[in-house]
Amino acid sequence: MSFFKFLISRAFWINVLIAIGLLSLLVFLFFQFLDSYTNHGESLTVPDLTGKSIEAVQETIEAKSLNFKVFDTVYISDLPLNTVIEQNPVPGSKVKRNRTIYLTMNSGQPAKVRLPNLDNSSVTHARDLLRNKKLKIGELEYVPHWAPNLVLGMKYKGRDITKNDSVAEGSVIDLVVGDGLKDSEITVPNLSGLRYQEAVFLLKGAGINIGNPIVMGSVTDTADAIVYRQRPQPGSGKIALGDVIDIWIMDPEVYELQNGMPEDENPGEE
């Protein structure tokens, strides 16, 4: 049989069709394997893990067929301990199965910081030094001294401390301050209508302590809340340096709607 006759023979074309079929099957199986191996076209949405505990994270991650790893820890005193602060990838990202989500957690122990040297510092300067150390200024205790508002000592939870001591980040440090050997009383200031952070700044500068704010209704941002009541009231006389003024605060929008004072509140009553 000649080669030309073989090319046009039935046996040749049967073999060609069988070869094409086998090749097609191999290509099909290859791409099926590739899709299965790479999860082609399949992605997962990264859940929001911020604010969750490790236990809650593990439960959520396992349900999503993902993995997680604690990449870093920080300490933020105003947030719950041992909860997620940040994550990477961010919530809403599209990833493949078994992707690792890296977490930054709020650690259970704040870092220790050495107290700054406040010797011969004014209250204003002391406040800046403490803030730089991630510490907070607390009560001002005035004692007889020729220099007004001069820092003479520090206290932590009622005990005397010095620049050689260390405390946790976010701690509140009380200051012992000179009264200037002058009139140790001032006229009660009017705080009504001020934002809370403005009232704190005014009172601290005047040598007056401020009590914990009493919240009226729902307040989402204490620093931005409005003072609508205080005790003692403005115009009620004088107050000694180092004494405390209590204040009531409310949401700015509520304050504006109620013209600064809720109808059922009477500033003259306890």
Side-chain angles (χ1 to χ4, degrees):
M1 179 183 295
S2 66
F3 181 72
F4 176 76
K5 287 184 177 181
F6 175 72
L7 289 180
I8 62 175
S9 67
R10 181 180 180 186
F12 171 78
W13 287 107
I14 290 176
N15 289 331
V16 169
L17 292 175
I18 292 174
I20 292 174
L22 289 174
L23 180 61
S24 299
L25 178 61
L26 289 174
V27 171
F28 173 77
L29 292 176
F30 172 77
F31 281 106
Q32 285 292 105
F33 168 78
L34 190 63
D35 283 351
S36 176
Y37 182 77
T38 62
N39 294 315
H40 179 68
E42 182 180 0
S43 62
L44 300 172
T45 301
V46 176
D48 187 358
L49 303 175
T50 54
K52 293 182 179 292
S53 65
I54 282 291
E55 292 77 11
V57 166
Q58 186 168 1
E59 182 177 343
T60 302
I61 286 294
E62 288 179 352
K64 290 285 188 178
S65 298
L66 297 169
N67 300 312
F68 75 92
K69 181 178 181 179
V70 177
F71 178 72
D72 194 12
T73 59
V74 297
Y75 177 73
I76 303 176
S77 60
D78 297 333
L79 298 178
L81 299 177
N82 300 316
T83 56
V84 178
I85 304 301
E86 294 179 353
Q87 65 180 84
N88 183 30
V90 298
S93 302
K94 297 295 184 180
V95 298
K96 294 188 179 298
R97 289 182 181 275
N98 299 318
R99 172 68 184 271
T100 298
I101 311 300
Y102 294 93
L103 307 177
T104 299
M105 306 290 297
N106 192 22
S107 64
Q109 293 295 330
K112 290 282 188 177
V113 294
R114 187 176 294 276
L115 289 164
N117 184 3
L118 302 184
D119 294 344
N120 299 318
S121 297
S122 67
V123 172
T124 301
H125 187 216
R127 182 182 293 111
D128 293 336
L129 292 175
L130 290 172
R131 186 181 295 119
N132 290 338
K133 290 284 190 176
K134 297 183 180 180
L135 301 172
K136 302 174 183 178
I137 191 170
E139 301 292 318
L140 301 179
E141 179 184 339
Y142 280 86
V143 296
H145 191 273
W146 62 268
N149 291 316
L150 182 72
V151 176
L152 304 174
M154 296 181 286
K155 291 186 176 182
Y156 176 61
K157 294 184 177 180
R159 65 179 180 86
D160 293 329
I161 52 177
T162 70
K163 60 186 179 183
N164 296 319
D165 293 324
S166 296
V167 296
E169 282 186 3
S171 296
V172 177
I173 307 301
D174 300 324
L175 301 180
V176 180
V177 181
D179 64 4
L181 299 179
K182 297 179 180 178
D183 187 358
S184 60
E185 292 186 333
I186 64 170
T187 301
V188 177
N190 185 2
L191 306 176
S192 180
L194 294 180
R195 299 190 184 277
Y196 176 71
Q197 59 185 356
E198 295 172 338
V200 171
F201 182 80
L202 185 151
L203 292 180
K204 293 293 185 183
I208 302 298
N209 293 306
I210 190 167
N212 291 327
I214 302 168
V215 180
M216 171 68 175
S218 176
V219 171
T220 57
D221 186 348
T222 301
D224 199 46
I226 302 296
V227 178
Y228 73 89
R229 177 182 174 187
Q230 68 182 79
R231 183 178 58 204
Q233 300 177 52
S236 61
K238 291 183 176 290
I239 185 172
L241 298 181
D243 278 356
V244 176
I245 290 183
D246 295 317
I247 62 171
W248 283 253
I249 59 175
M250 65 168 55
D251 185 84
E253 293 184 1
V254 177
Y255 178 86
E256 184 176 351
L257 289 174
Q258 300 191 8
N259 296 317
M261 182 65 66
E263 294 180 357
D264 61 342
E265 289 283 350
N266 183 350
E269 296 180 358
E270 295 296 325

